Amino acid sequence: MTTSTLSLGIDIGGTFTDIVVFHHASGRVVSHKELTTPEAPNRGVIAGLRHLFARESLQPADVGRVIHATTLFTNALIERKGAVTGLITTAGFRDTLEMAREHKYELYDLKIELPRPLVPRRLRMEVSERIGADGEIEIALDEKAVLRAAGVLVDAGVSSVAIVFLHAYANRAHEERARALIAEAYPQLFVSISSEVSPQIREYERTVTTVANAYVKPLADGYLDLAAREIDEFGIQAPLFMMLSNGGLTHIAEAKRVPIQLLESGPAAGALAGAFFGEGASIPDVLAFDMGGTTAKLAIVDEAKPLIAHQFEACREKRLTEGSGLPISISTIELIEIGAGGGSIARLDSLGLLKVGPDSAASTPGPACYGRGGTQPTVTDANLVLGYLDPAGFAGGTMQLDVEKAKAAITPLAAEAGITVPEFAWGIYSVVNENMAAAARVHVAERGHVANRFALLLTGGGGPLHGLEVARRLGTPRAICPPSAGVASALGLLMAPARVDRVATFPRRFSQMDWAELEAVYAALEADAQAVVQETLPGATLRIERSADLRFVGQGFEVVTPLVAGPYTEGASASIVTAFHAAYRNTFGQVPPKGEIEVVNVRVAVSATAQSAPLDASATAQGRAKAMTARGVWVGARGRYEEVPVYERDGLEAGTRVDGPALVQEASTTLVLPVGASLVVDGSGSLIVELPPAGIQPAAAMATEALASAA
């Protein structure tokens, strides 16, 4: 191979680290799954690189770019394992994190658990300063107080500081001066300022976002430096890019500056893969369902585009309850995460009911069948007992699964429930599927959609294993299983454009709008975003999208509205009003007959295509001689083991039809095709599955599920 003929994608998940290499000339993709090493994630990455490059006879020097996503920073937030962080804020606003919005997400719960602040009260300091909402300085910054506060925090062991001053989005002078003072006096401290991390109104959300950025910043700084160094030492001299939550990628310096942008990087890549494969199968409306070893994710892809949100909740106390988490104000592909994966642990609660997750065995010790010390029954153990997994072929044959250890883990609970081990395993399978379907049902409905309009696109190691049962429960009539489904999120990294989002608060009523001033704000945001994208991809053709958070005067919240391209003059008013009315109607169903419109925030997204050659999905599943075996598999619809055909994915040529029950297995995952379903291999290499019409569930399956639920 000649120089720079490969692209490399690395996605660190909670259980597995997925590594894919894309050949520019042929469009072919090769991949490997390596167990994640949570105590030192870089170890798993390098081990996986060594294995894949040796197996495929690849040369590190041929890699032209590396794109990376990781759950490291999300896990640090969830597990509260970030840096010891302090907060310096305007006098009188020390308790913003505690007071939040004085909202109870469950009004009548007397024992409600609210999300805990990342910074305890003893590490929150106040200083005298005041900037008005118009950006005018009302009280000068007390510089001595800033240094005193920083000194107290350093003595308390703080390594990272968030600075959040009132109305800093309108004038960042005080925050920038405070940062400069601290940098000079305490250069070892990491400092995050709100006017850089989240320059927009709403004090609580801005404070939470800036504190969260400070909380993960030392971790991100150290990890990204280490990752870049070890990849270089492996022999890869290519630039390292990081995947952002918004579905774009950026260079290391930008990622280190505001690492909070990386929180949802892995799931975002999965949504991009969902859009790509759905469009390749001529099905542009899909629910991208990605189930890994620790969590499952679902994103809505409408007309081949994932939905973008500008705020999401992290660390929810109750996973399906809005308002129970920490609001993070960043641009992100809109999705829902569910505590359900291959490592999810099954148990019987105090009422004797079967529960699965959200606790996970993760990669250490892992499911019992991994033979790494795990003893609790997990979803992977259940799948192995049911016959859905090949013990010798798991993760491309790099791991040998132990069926007896899986049975031993399930046996005590099955005995307590008074049913057989396979019946209990089917109960685990059914309950986790219902957990995921219930969460997906709520997510889709809350966004104004009905599930049966979409096809369910199955990715991740567990997506094809569970997805068709989830689709049945959702009522989606069709599913898509793309080539290399088990490593699709890592594939999504290779499809990502470079992208930068910028936002600024610009409160103006249309009747008082200075259009030249509005255009100047947009132009400044675009120039800033363009500089970052051009540094990431020099010479690339840029795409610029403008939007604004608009509302009727008197309303408390806004509708994010896509706008026409600039420059803006007074003549642009009519088109902006039309766009807002369309977005408002789409959100609420109708538009008030009259009312003045006002701007709250203006937004810019600048992107550029990063892929130098088209990814040929069919190249990952080129037909060979058809291979088929059979093994004993639990057929849920009939409540018994049966010998069912097992097809090798690489042996299925375009046009091949398979009827259920059957299994289709490949290196990174297995598709479980139930009774009544059928699939056809399309020209892009995807398996298009048609599910039977929703109706009465077979009696045997109903009886088994009822027994498991009552266990």
Side-chain angles (χ1 to χ4, degrees), residues 125-493:
M125 304 291 150
E126 298 180 344
V127 300
S128 176
E129 70 86 39
R130 188 81 173 205
I131 290 176
D134 58 0
E136 294 296 319
I137 296 176
E138 297 179 2
I139 300 175
L141 176 65
D142 186 338
E143 296 187 357
K144 292 182 180 179
V146 170
L147 292 174
R148 283 196 303 271
V152 171
L153 293 176
V154 168
D155 291 342
V158 163
S159 61
S160 188
V161 173
I163 300 175
V164 185
F165 291 152
L166 190 65
H167 301 307
Y169 58 84
N171 183 344
R172 60 173 59 193
H174 282 180
E175 285 193 348
E176 290 183 337
R177 178 57 180 160
R179 177 170 61 182
L181 290 167
I182 293 173
E184 183 178 357
Y186 303 100
Q188 77 277 17
L189 281 180
F190 291 87
V191 181
S192 300
I193 61 174
S194 74
S195 52
E196 189 171 79
V197 175
S198 181
Q200 52 190 307
I201 65 166
R202 297 202 167 90
E203 205 67 19
Y204 173 58
E205 289 82 354
R206 184 160 58 93
T207 304
V208 169
T209 304
T210 309
V211 164
N213 189 77
Y215 191 70
V216 300
K217 194 166 187 174
L219 178 66
D221 194 85
Y223 173 75
L224 295 177
D225 282 344
L226 177 63
R229 183 171 66 252
E230 293 206 346
I231 289 172
D232 181 76
E233 290 173 354
F234 181 73
I236 297 174
Q237 307 296 316
L240 173 62
F241 301 120
M242 295 301 299
M243 184 75 180
L244 300 176
S245 300
N246 63 10
L249 56 88
T250 192
H251 56 76
I252 290 294
E254 173 69 7
K256 289 168 67 174
R257 185 182 69 87
V258 188
I260 199 70
Q261 298 177 92
L262 305 175
L263 278 192
E264 296 294 305
S265 58
L272 290 179
F276 174 84
F277 286 116
E279 192 171 26
S282 300
I283 305 175
D285 299 331
V286 301
L287 302 177
F289 171 65
D290 185 320
M291 183 182 179
T294 307
T295 59
K297 285 78 66 175
L298 184 129
I300 298 172
V301 178
D302 198 0
E303 297 182 0
K305 291 184 179 180
L307 302 183
I308 298 290
H310 299 288
Q311 186 179 97
F312 79 102
E313 285 188 10
C315 312
R316 281 185 172 177
E317 295 294 330
K318 295 195 175 180
R319 65 182 186 219
L320 300 183
T321 305
E322 186 175 355
S324 66
L326 300 174
I328 306 294
S329 297
I330 59 172
S331 295
T332 178
I333 287 180
E334 191 169 32
L335 50 83
I336 186 171
E337 289 201 46
I338 310 150
S344 294
I345 297 170
R347 67 190 188 283
L348 295 175
D349 68 8
S350 58
L351 298 177
L353 298 177
L354 174 58
K355 304 294 182 183
V356 183
D359 294 336
S360 174
S363 60
T364 304
C369 61
Y370 283 11
R372 296 165 57 90
T375 58
Q376 295 178 290
T378 67
V379 171
T380 296
D381 295 312
N383 284 328
L384 184 60
V385 168
L386 295 171
Y388 300 157
L389 296 175
D390 178 4
F394 188 72
T398 60
M399 291 181 63
Q400 179 78 33
L401 301 184
D402 191 322
V403 179
E404 293 308 314
K405 287 184 177 179
K407 290 180 178 178
I410 294 173
T411 296
L413 293 184
E416 185 178 346
I419 57 178
T420 66
V421 168
E423 286 173 335
F424 198 91
W426 176 253
I428 294 173
Y429 183 79
S430 299
V431 169
V432 78
N433 289 338
E434 180 55 36
N435 289 346
M436 294 184 290
R441 197 178 297 119
V442 171
H443 181 72
V444 172
E446 285 180 344
R447 273 108 195 121
H449 298 288
V450 290
N452 61 13
R453 183 169 78 81
F454 298 87
L456 195 67
L457 191 132
L458 315 176
T459 59
L465 281 165
H466 294 262
L468 298 183
E469 182 66 17
V470 172
R472 179 184 71 78
R473 294 166 184 269
L474 273 177
T476 55
R478 182 183 294 176
I480 307 167
C481 183
S484 300
V487 292
S489 286
L491 276 174
L493 297 174

Side-chain angles (χ1 to χ4, degrees), residues 568-617:
Y568 294 154
T569 63
E570 191 170 353
S573 176
S575 66
I576 293 176
V577 169
T578 299
F580 172 61
H581 284 175
Y584 196 97
R585 183 177 292 106
N586 184 59
T587 303
F588 298 109
Q590 59 182 352
V591 179
K594 61 181 180 179
E596 186 177 1
I597 299 171
E598 65 180 348
V599 178
V600 177
N601 297 316
V602 297
R603 299 182 182 275
V604 163
V606 176
S607 59
T609 301
Q611 186 59 49
S612 57
L615 174 65
D616 180 7

Side-chain angles (χ1 to χ4, degrees), residues 519-533:
E519 177 61 29
V521 173
Y522 270 112
L525 292 178
E526 288 170 2
D528 181 32
Q530 286 179 46
V532 177
V533 173

Side-chain angles (χ1 to χ4, degrees), residues 8-12 18 20 65-70 241-244 247-249 265-266 268-270 272-273 487-497 610-611:
L8 172 65
I10 303 169
D11 180 23
I12 301 179
D18 295 341
V20 300
R65 65 188 185 116
V66 182
I67 306 98
H68 186 18
T70 176
F241 301 120
M242 295 301 299
M243 184 75 180
L244 300 176
L249 56 88
S265 58
L272 290 179
V487 292
S489 286
L491 276 174
L493 297 174
L494 304 181
M495 306 165 191
Q611 186 59 49

